[in-house]
């Protein structure tokens, strides 16, 4: 079987130095169950630094959220087939750099709603 690849078309934009966003294309080796996050790591390690965010790699934290082929996904769990795939930042968020967006206004709203685990009884420490 011939070697298969992913052609990753990556949104590139650094608002501190770029006037407009551009796209850059990279060829990445494909293996079964290659995730979007693995593609980004491969590019970062073998071609050039790109801005993307991640933390848990377990589909829990949401930091790796982005548009892949125009749809929102967690890049850590989105398996890709060979072929061309476009990676873009989430819509509606200010771009910090490349695929990294500013989630601050969403976090502020979440904290303001006080959505957290709260106990009915006061917590006492045992010392």
């Amino acid at each position: 079987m011939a070697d298969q690849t992913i052609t990753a078309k990556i949104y590139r934009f650094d608002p501190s130095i770029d006037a407009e966003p551009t796209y850059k294309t990279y060829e990445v080796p494909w293996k079964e169950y290659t995730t979007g996050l693995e593609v980004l790591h491969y590019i970062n390690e073998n071609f050039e630094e790109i801005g993307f965010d991640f933390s848990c790699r377990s589909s829990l934290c949401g930091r790796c959220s982005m548009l892949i082929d125009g749809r929102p996904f967690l890049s850590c769990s989105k398996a890709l087939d060979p072929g061309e795939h476009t990676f873009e930042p989430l819509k509606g968020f200010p771009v910090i750099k490349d695929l990294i967006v500013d989630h601050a206004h969403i976090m502020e709203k979440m904290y303001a709603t006080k959505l957290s685990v709260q106990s009915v009884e006061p917590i006492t420490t045992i010392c």
Side-chain angles (χ1 to χ4, degrees):
M1 176 164 57
D3 291 339
Q4 296 181 316
T5 62
I6 290 174
T7 303
K9 184 178 172 185
I10 309 292
Y11 178 97
R12 303 300 310 263
F13 182 55
D14 183 345
S16 68
I17 58 174
D18 299 327
E20 295 291 325
T22 60
Y23 287 85
K24 191 157 183 189
T25 303
Y26 306 88
E27 290 293 321
V28 176
W30 177 85
K31 63 180 180 7
E32 194 170 7
Y33 306 115
T34 299
T35 66
L37 188 59
E38 289 174 319
V39 168
L40 297 173
H41 277 292
Y42 185 90
I43 294 166
N44 210 40
E45 293 167 3
N46 294 284
F47 295 107
E48 63 183 324
E49 181 182 313
I50 55 174
F52 62 98
D53 200 4
F54 71 98
S55 182
C56 71
R57 297 184 184 194
S58 300
S59 305
L60 297 173
C61 72
R63 288 179 62 177
C64 67
S65 300
M66 64 185 64
L67 298 179
I68 300 176
D69 299 328
R71 296 184 57 211
F73 288 103
L74 296 175
S75 65
C76 68
S77 62
K78 174 60 177 159
L80 301 174
D81 292 325
E84 184 172 314
H85 297 282
T86 303
F87 293 74
E88 299 170 298
L90 289 174
K91 302 287 186 213
F93 292 89
V95 174
I96 295 173
K97 182 180 180 194
D98 299 333
L99 302 170
I100 303 171
V101 295
D102 185 356
H103 294 99
H105 70 283
I106 295 296
M107 298 307 288
E108 289 169 5
K109 288 180 182 180
M110 188 177 78
Y111 294 138
T113 62
K114 299 185 184 198
L115 291 173
S116 62
V117 178
Q118 297 180 6
S119 64
V120 177
E121 300 292 325
I123 298 172
T124 58
T125 57
I126 302 172
C127 295

